[in-house]
Amino acid sequence: MSGKHPGAHSDTAMHPRKEGKAGMAELFDFDEIIDVRSPGEFADDHAPGAISLPVLNDAERARVGTLHKQSSAFEAKKVGAALVSRNIAHHLETYFHDKPRDYRPLIYCWRGGSRSGAMTTVLRAIGWQAAQLDGGHKAYRRHVIDELARLPEQLDFRVISGPTGVGKSLFLRALQSCGVQVLDLEDIAAHMGSVLGAYPARPQPAQKLFESRVWSALPNFDAGKPIFVESESRKIGNLHTPEELLKRMRASPCINLNAAIPVRVELLKQEYAHFLADTGLLGQKLDCLVAIQGKERIESWKALAAAGRWDELVAELLMHHYDPAYTRSLERNFIGAFAATTLELPAADPATIRKLASALADSIA
């Protein structure tokens, strides 16, 4: 992990660490960050760039925990120590076998206890300058929460607003390719934000991991330059946008992106191409709207899909579902968008989107 994360604020000269220990300020000062918790814990959340080398797998962790509750701490520690020792040995024979003499990993478990302590002790006994993260993942998680409350207020956001299908995500990516700062929350959340917005082969991260990834992105921005972000709702799929970030976005200036219905239909057909190949999956998603649109309209939309009348179906969805929902959301959350500058997207091709993004990028340079 060469190259410091801007949010780490390392200051080891003023606050020297204990031998074999490191604090949150030193999180990104090591060659690697190693998470020795179970795979399930790792999937729920982990430090940016961390690799998973569990010293107890999920079943072993459950077994030790059950022993602790039903027998005694002593019995649990005996069994746990044997399991941890075998797993560390496996990692030494595989992952660590070719690490150089000057290798410096940072190790953490849940709260900086026995699991990371065991791994750190063994690696240091070999001669590597391993360190254990003080407080473990618990301290890391507390730091992320604190920083997500602090950082957004220091940043200058510009919100790209506009109705569904107008190409906001594509426009943001085009802006980014022009050298403009962009926070793409939908990419981080692995979801396009609407009822049909789940990616077919990319599941959403857990909420804590989503927050870790947002936190990791924020310190990399230049606070003296604008950061463009989409006008997200409180939820992106199943994930909640961090509260202070959402507040800051809603108080920020907006730029509207607009396009005629045929352009939006074309963009949505590109974005949701997987539904064109799987009308059954589309039908399942449309069923989620029965309470809002009524069974008769949903069945008519399914019939359009079955007949391959995609332009008609997408236009119906825009006019009867997405546009009214978007207007209501805008009135609640981004009232400034109604008086904001509007950029018109005349066509759905990448070159046109890039040209519009380039013009905006030039205007803020």
Side-chain angles (χ1 to χ4, degrees):
M1 297 284 299
S2 60
K4 278 177 198 167
H5 188 280
H9 305 304
S10 179
D11 192 359
T12 55
M14 290 180 63
H15 302 286
R17 62 179 170 87
K18 299 174 185 176
E19 192 68 21
K21 294 281 190 177
M24 272 301 303
E26 301 163 83
L27 183 65
F28 297 99
D29 289 352
F30 290 80
D31 296 332
E32 285 186 313
I33 304 172
I34 296 175
D35 187 323
V36 300
R37 298 173 305 151
S38 70
E41 292 172 289
F42 184 84
D44 187 53
D45 186 34
H46 53 266
I51 60 170
S52 177
L53 293 179
V55 297
L56 291 175
N57 64 31
D58 293 318
E60 290 166 345
R61 179 170 174 256
R63 178 186 169 194
V64 172
T66 300
L67 270 175
H68 194 279
K69 289 179 181 178
Q70 296 182 354
S71 181
S72 70
F74 178 70
E75 290 299 320
K77 287 177 181 178
K78 276 200 304 182
V79 170
L83 293 169
V84 167
S85 297
R86 279 197 288 269
N87 288 325
I88 290 176
H90 171 73
H91 295 318
L92 289 171
E93 292 167 347
T94 54
Y95 187 79
F96 294 113
H97 82 282
D98 61 351
K99 295 299 181 186
R101 183 183 294 271
D102 60 354
Y103 176 58
R104 294 179 67 248
L106 177 66
I107 321 292
Y108 73 85
C109 59
W110 176 44
R111 53 183 178 184
S114 58
R115 285 184 289 175
S116 58
M119 175 79 89
T120 304
T121 297
V122 171
L123 295 187
R124 288 182 68 82
I126 291 169
W128 288 311
Q129 293 302 301
Q132 180 184 25
L133 180 64
D134 255 337
H137 182 269
K138 190 173 182 181
Y140 163 79
R141 176 65 183 162
R142 188 164 54 246
H143 179 77
V144 169
I145 292 170
D146 291 345
E147 289 293 278
L148 284 175
R150 181 183 72 86
L151 290 172
E153 189 60 32
Q154 301 177 9
L155 301 175
D156 179 18
F157 291 103
R158 297 289 185 275
V159 177
I160 300 297
S161 56
T164 298
V166 80
K168 296 187 291 293
S169 295
L170 294 173
F171 187 67
L172 280 178
R173 288 172 205 144
L175 279 173
Q176 195 166 34
S177 72
C178 294
V180 175
Q181 297 189 121
V182 166
L183 177 62
D184 192 341
L185 290 172
E186 291 189 357
D187 182 59
I188 297 172
H191 199 282
M192 290 178 278
S194 68
V195 69
L196 302 178
Y199 290 113
R202 189 181 166 200
Q204 289 197 271
Q207 178 67 33
K208 290 178 182 178
L209 185 54
F210 171 59
E211 291 170 4
S212 278
R213 290 172 178 172
V214 173
W215 162 71
S216 181
L218 294 183
N220 293 307
F221 292 120
D222 182 344
K225 296 179 181 179
I227 301 148
F228 286 80
V229 65
E230 191 171 330
S231 55
E232 301 295 351
S233 302
R234 187 174 297 277
K235 288 187 72 178
I236 306 174
N238 293 321
L239 301 175
H240 293 266
T241 307
E243 188 64 31
E244 293 305 316
L245 175 60
L246 190 64
K247 286 180 184 177
R248 182 64 171 162
M249 288 164 53
R250 288 176 175 176
S252 298
C254 294
I255 297 172
N256 292 319
L257 189 60
N258 195 35
I261 288 288
V263 175
R264 293 166 63 197
V265 167
E266 188 59 36
L267 284 168
L268 281 175
K269 285 197 300 179
Q270 295 171 19
E271 212 161 40
Y272 297 119
H274 51 287
F275 285 125
L276 276 63
D278 190 346
T279 56
L281 177 61
L282 176 60
Q284 292 173 23
K285 296 293 185 182
L286 290 175
D287 282 337
C288 298
L289 300 176
V290 168
I292 301 170
Q293 297 293 336
K295 188 169 181 60
E296 185 177 346
R297 176 168 282 167
I298 296 302
E299 291 304 316
S300 73
W301 286 348
K302 288 182 182 179
L304 289 175
R309 293 159 61 184
W310 298 110
D311 286 14
E312 190 176 345
L313 170 60
V314 175
E316 285 266 323
L317 280 165
L318 288 173
M319 290 184 290
H320 294 290
H321 177 69
Y322 283 115
D323 285 359
Y326 176 75
T327 300
R328 290 192 298 270
S329 176
L330 214 60
E331 288 171 345
R332 291 193 306 269
N333 303 318
F334 292 97
I335 193 69
F338 290 100
T341 299
T342 296
L343 305 176
E344 194 71 27
L345 182 67
D349 62 283
T352 301
I353 296 170
R354 167 79 185 203
K355 183 179 179 181
L356 192 63
S358 181
L360 178 57
D362 289 344
S363 74
I364 63 171

